[in-house]
């Protein structure tokens, strides 16, 4: 995909949040890089809750192997000692890499298309330790898969997606499995629909959700370690030539988590993206 983190994720590869060149900040979307196109992303994600605040930042790289296949890597870093539930929508301390494949691309009319993209990747422990209920666990790699589909036109966008992450066991410890999902609606006003040499704007309403399973420590299931959260909020994307800047904020509309895990109150993100176009054109 053209811009990682953010979405990820964007599209969100390996369960991390991403932002696509025409996509949302938190939700799943479908774009991939064209052949030989190189993309770079960096940004800040924030989570605030009853047991502290956590900020994460990182760099994402994407390379278009073919017009419909992109290789991705994401290397984040975490700041703050807030005790917060497991999340794959918002990046944590794990590093990830993998591949995105846009297996459906149907142009229905001028400027309108239907797309579907699948991603698979490996998630590995980063150099930083976790906080909260995950802090004392032995860590092991995991695998992640995501699927997104949607309709994009010159003025409106609609995407739906889901992801699943599962970690291996290490010394009878295991991080929770995570199921994530999102629905995104985007609108690009005619007055803000400008040419390549001017800033072009679009806004999104992003609904995201996550369910994490139980945490295993020493071969025992930790009580009250399951969580389910649903989030809703706006985001804005501005594009100028090969540069994109996006930002968004979300508040919980449903929370089911033990007080011992901490309860999130807000999520926010600011992301910068750059896409280096190839010297030749590739059909999407």
């Amino acid at each position: 995909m053209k811009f990682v983190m953010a979405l990820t994720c964007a599209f969100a590869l390996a369960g991390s949040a991403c932002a696509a060149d025409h996509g949302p900040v938190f939700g799943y979307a479908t774009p991939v890089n064209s052949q030989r196109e190189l993309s770079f992303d960096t940004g800040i994600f924030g989570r605030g809750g009853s047991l502290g605040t956590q900020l994460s930042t990182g760099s994402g790289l994407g390379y278009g192997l073919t017009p419909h296949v992109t290789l991705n890597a994401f290397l984040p870093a975490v700041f703050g000692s807030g005790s917060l539930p497991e999340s794959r929508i918002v990046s944590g301390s794990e590093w990830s890499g993998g591949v995105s494949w846009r297996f459906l691309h149907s142009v229905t009319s001028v400027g309108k298309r239907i797309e579907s993209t699948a991603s698979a990747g490996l998630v590995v422990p980063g150099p930083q330790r976790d906080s909260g209920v995950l802090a004392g666990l032995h860590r092991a790699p995991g695998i992640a898969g995501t699927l997104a589909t949607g309709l994009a036109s010159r003025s409106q966008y609609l995407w739906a997606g889901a992801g699943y992450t599962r970690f291996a066991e290490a010394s009878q410890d295991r991080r929770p499995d995570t199921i994530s999902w999102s629905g995104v609606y985007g609108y690009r006003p005619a007055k803000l629909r400008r040419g390549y040499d001017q800033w072009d704007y679009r806004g999104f309403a992003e609904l995201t959700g996550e369910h994490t399973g139980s945490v295993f420590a020493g071969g025992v299931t930790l009580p009250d370690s399951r969580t389910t959260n649903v989030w809703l909020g706006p985001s804005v994307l501005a594009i100028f030539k090969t540069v994109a800047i996006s930002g968004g904020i979300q508040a919980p509309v449903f929370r089911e988590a033990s007080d011992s895990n901490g309860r999130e109150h807000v999520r926010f993100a600011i992301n910068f993206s750059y896409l280096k176009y190839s010297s030749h054109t590739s059909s999407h």
Side-chain angles (χ1 to χ4, degrees), residues 29 41 52 57 64 96 105 108 113 127 142 163 214 228 250-251 256 260 266 268 270:
D41 289 76
T57 185
S96 61
H105 179 76
T108 59
R113 64 192 184 276
S214 298
T228 303
Q250 286 189 313
E256 185 178 57
S260 61
V266 65
F268 64 88
I270 300 173

Side-chain angles (χ1 to χ4, degrees), residues 232-250:
L232 178 64
S235 64
V236 177
L237 172 66
I239 301 175
F240 178 72
K241 296 184 178 180
T242 60
V243 174
I245 301 174
S246 59
I249 188 169
Q250 286 189 313

